[in-house]
């Protein structure tokens, strides 16, 4: 059985009535240095330096399931660690903390939708970054065509996925999704960006050729 088959079997088990409740995975005890050694990079410095890399912001959503203790409310969380992964087959990936309380609900569903936020949706992002609140209160959405996950109104794009694989990555999980459907709004509105711990509005989009020629690695 290949990776896709194992992932599909795991998702079917998670969605079955006999599956035990999926709890948040505890922080792993994996280290690159011994307990008596100084870590090569301090966490504060790591955050400070990596904060210089601006990222887009998305909200990852999933439908409620029958065995979800919070049903009928859907699940969702704000995510800045999202990326395209593969063109053939079409795969995307997002990273989520191993102690996340939303991730087990997405795992139960076995599907998710990535909603790419626009520059004017900073407050929407903040609502989905709060733990324990009713994140969907007052939020307009419809059902994504393949998964039924909430597709938020006013976003720049949406990517509807089935969970393909899950990998560990230190204190985070790397969730790979197989893209089943996707779409984008025909708008020049810029995306919502996150930079140095705060939202940053991108400059307006300009049409025309790139001012440089992409290299072979592009």
């Amino acid at each position: 059985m290949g990776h896709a088959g194992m992932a599909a079997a795991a998702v079917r088990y998670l969605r079955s009535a006999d599956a035990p409740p999926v709890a948040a995975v505890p922080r792993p005890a994996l280290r690159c240095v011994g307990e008596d050694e100084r870590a090569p990079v301090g966490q504060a410095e790591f955050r400070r330096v990596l904060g210089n890399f601006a990222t887009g912001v998305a909200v990852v959503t999933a439908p409620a399931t029958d065995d979800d203790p919070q049903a009928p409310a859907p699940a969702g969380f704000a995510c800045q660690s999202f990326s395209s992964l593969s063109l053939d087959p079409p795969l995307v990936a997002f990273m989520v903390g191993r102690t996340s309380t939303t991730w087990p609900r997405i795992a139960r569903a076995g599907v998710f939708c990535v909603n790419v936020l626009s520059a004017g949706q900073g407050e929407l992002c903040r609502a989905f970054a709060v733990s324990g609140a009713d994140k969907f209160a007052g939020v307009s959405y419809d059902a994504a065509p393949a998964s039924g996950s909430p597709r938020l109104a006013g976003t720049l794009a949406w990517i509807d996925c089935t969970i393909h694989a899950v990998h560990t990555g230190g204190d985070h999980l790397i969730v790979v999704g197989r893209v089943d459907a996707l779409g984008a709004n025909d708008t020049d509105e810029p995306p919502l960006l996150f930079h140095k711990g705060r939202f940053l509005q991108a400059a307006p989009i300009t049409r025309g050729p790139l001012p440089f020629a992409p290299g072979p690695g592009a």
Side-chain angles (χ1 to χ4, degrees):
M1 182 184 294
H3 289 297
M6 289 188 291
V11 169
R12 285 196 299 270
Y13 175 69
L14 286 170
R15 299 179 70 178
S16 70
D18 297 331
V22 181
V25 181
R27 185 180 296 273
L30 302 177
R31 294 182 56 85
C32 297
V33 295
E35 291 289 349
D36 59 343
E37 296 178 315
R38 178 180 178 275
V41 177
Q43 292 185 6
E45 181 68 358
F46 184 88
R47 289 195 181 100
R48 187 188 71 81
V49 173
L50 270 295
N52 286 277
F53 181 67
T55 66
V57 185
V59 170
V60 179
T61 61
T65 58
D66 293 337
D67 59 343
D68 189 338
Q70 298 186 46
F77 75 100
C79 177
Q80 67 181 93
S81 299
F82 167 73
S83 176
S84 61
L85 180 62
S86 168
L87 186 61
D88 186 15
L91 301 174
V92 297
F94 69 85
M95 278 62 79
V96 60
R98 291 172 66 110
T99 57
S100 167
T101 57
T102 302
W103 161 245
R105 301 182 62 203
I106 297 175
R108 287 190 191 97
V111 293
F112 63 89
C113 182
V114 179
N115 298 268
V116 181
L117 301 187
S118 65
Q121 293 182 307
E123 289 304 316
L124 179 65
C125 178
R126 290 187 179 93
F128 278 90
V130 176
S131 178
D134 182 2
K135 301 177 183 180
F136 287 88
V139 175
S140 298
Y141 63 89
D142 63 3
S147 70
S149 302
R151 184 172 56 177
L152 307 183
T155 59
L156 296 181
W158 54 271
I159 305 99
D160 200 9
C161 305
T162 299
I163 294 177
H164 180 75
V166 181
H167 307 285
T168 57
D171 57 6
H172 276 60
L173 297 173
I174 304 166
V175 182
V176 179
R178 185 184 72 244
V179 178
D180 299 314
L182 75 173
N185 294 328
D186 294 327
T187 177
D188 286 340
E189 186 174 3
L192 183 65
L193 300 179
F194 193 73
H195 179 252
K196 290 187 175 181
R198 63 182 184 273
F199 292 133
L200 181 70
Q201 291 194 3
I205 298 173
T206 57
R207 301 295 184 183
L210 293 173
F212 59 90

